Amino acid sequence: MEVTVSSCDVREVLDLVADKWSLFIVANLSDGPRRFTELKRAVDGVSQRMLTVTLRRLERDGILLRTVHAVMPPHVTYELTPLGTSLLHAAAPLIAWSNGNLEQVAAARAAYDAG
Amino acid sequence: MEVTVSSCDVREVLDLVADKWSLFIVANLSDGPRRFTELKRAVDGVSQRMLTVTLRRLERDGILLRTVHAVMPPHVTYELTPLGTSLLHAAAPLIAWSNGNLEQVAAARAAYDAG
DNA sequence: CGGAATCCTCTTAGATACTG
DNA sequence: CAGTATCTAAGAGGATTCCG
């Protein structure tokens, strides 16, 4: 199996998800639109600032759509674009892998630290 | 489609690849063992220090195997473990997505910046 | 060749306070 | 509610030097 990833351009796009929060946010939008505060609660440990920054970046990159409803109090929703949905599909196996290999990784760490 | 990623444990494992270099290194080991200097050349832009640090972490997490050949000058090879190979398979769709959506993302950025 | 150790800088990101 | 602005601590990471 060969996977190519050397290009400098790919670096730029892979950086999309190679950060602390993007994958979590995208995953949390998997079953429909969410509001800012909902995401803040759902994405464990994210600060308000980092949520804002990451959402803006994902919006800029065409991954999600930000909709401001002109009401008082403010109401803003975020949802995946088609591009964002395709990213979610591409990332799903990796997320599943993480879910399924918690213990193996933990065991490897313990063994390494013991050695 | 629903993807669950909220657990704090998953966070820990997902952090494995949610950094600047891990996915690149794993991808570069996809077609067999590599030496330190080979990886340094292949992984564009990585410093010696970050390559060492990242390799150590991936080794600790059971993703790759480090083998020291007792010769002079030193000869060290890195290769994926079965766990690392399974990670590569899980990450492959995401890497392919990055490869395939460079232009869409670039276009989205241009549109956003123009607006 | 494949690092380790040190230094130093730049970025990241949390906390806090304020706002339409 | 959904941010923005500012400050600051912590850490990432580059450059350099040294070593078996």
Side-chain angles (χ1 to χ4, degrees):
Chain A
M1 178 193 206
E2 188 160 354
V3 178
T4 302
V5 73
S6 49
S7 152
C8 188
D9 295 330
V10 176
R11 159 91 287 169
E12 232 176 288
V13 177
L14 204 53
D15 276 345
L16 263 179
V17 299
D19 74 284
K20 206 168 161 55
W21 304 112
S22 293
L23 272 184
F24 277 75
I25 291 172
V26 170
N28 269 291
L29 293 175
S30 63
D31 54 344
R34 287 285 180 274
R35 300 181 57 170
F36 186 87
T37 306
E38 288 178 307
L39 286 172
K40 175 106 174 56
R41 262 196 309 271
V43 180
D44 194 50
V46 72
S47 68
Q48 193 180 43
R49 182 182 177 283
M50 285 316 297
L51 183 56
T52 301
V53 168
T54 307
L55 285 170
R56 284 289 184 282
R57 199 163 53 75
L58 291 173
E59 184 194 5
R60 175 173 182 254
D61 289 337
I63 304 302
L64 55 79
L65 182 67
R66 178 173 179 263
T67 307
V68 182
H69 305 270
V71 295
M72 205 44 190
H75 186 130
V76 180
T77 56
Y78 297 89
E79 61 192 308
L80 294 179
T81 61
L83 185 61
T85 301
S86 73
L87 169 61
L88 177 65
H89 281 90
L94 183 60
I95 296 173
W97 183 93
S98 293
N99 270 305
N101 290 277
L102 292 172
E103 293 174 21
Q104 279 223 52
V105 172
R109 283 179 188 170
Y112 184 95
D113 293 344
Chain B
M1 180 195 204
E2 187 161 357
V3 177
T4 303
V5 72
S6 50
S7 151
C8 188
D9 295 330
V10 176
R11 158 92 286 168
E12 234 175 286
V13 177
L14 205 51
D15 276 344
L16 262 179
V17 297
D19 74 285
K20 207 167 161 57
W21 305 112
S22 294
L23 272 183
F24 278 75
I25 292 173
V26 169
N28 269 291
L29 293 176
S30 63
D31 53 346
R34 287 284 180 274
R35 300 179 59 169
F36 186 87
T37 305
E38 289 179 306
L39 286 173
K40 175 107 172 57
R41 263 196 310 270
V43 180
D44 193 51
V46 72
S47 67
Q48 190 182 48
R49 181 180 180 283
M50 285 316 297
L51 183 55
T52 301
V53 168
T54 307
L55 286 170
R56 283 289 184 282
R57 198 163 53 76
L58 291 173
E59 185 194 4
R60 176 174 183 254
D61 289 338
I63 304 302
L64 54 79
L65 182 66
R66 177 173 181 264
T67 308
V68 181
H69 305 271
V71 295
M72 203 48 190
H75 186 130
V76 180
T77 56
Y78 296 89
E79 61 191 309
L80 294 179
T81 61
L83 185 61
T85 302
S86 73
L87 169 60
L88 177 65
H89 281 90
L94 183 60
I95 295 172
W97 183 92
S98 294
N99 270 304
N101 289 278
L102 291 172
E103 295 175 21
Q104 279 222 50
V105 171
R109 282 179 188 170
Y112 184 94
D113 294 344

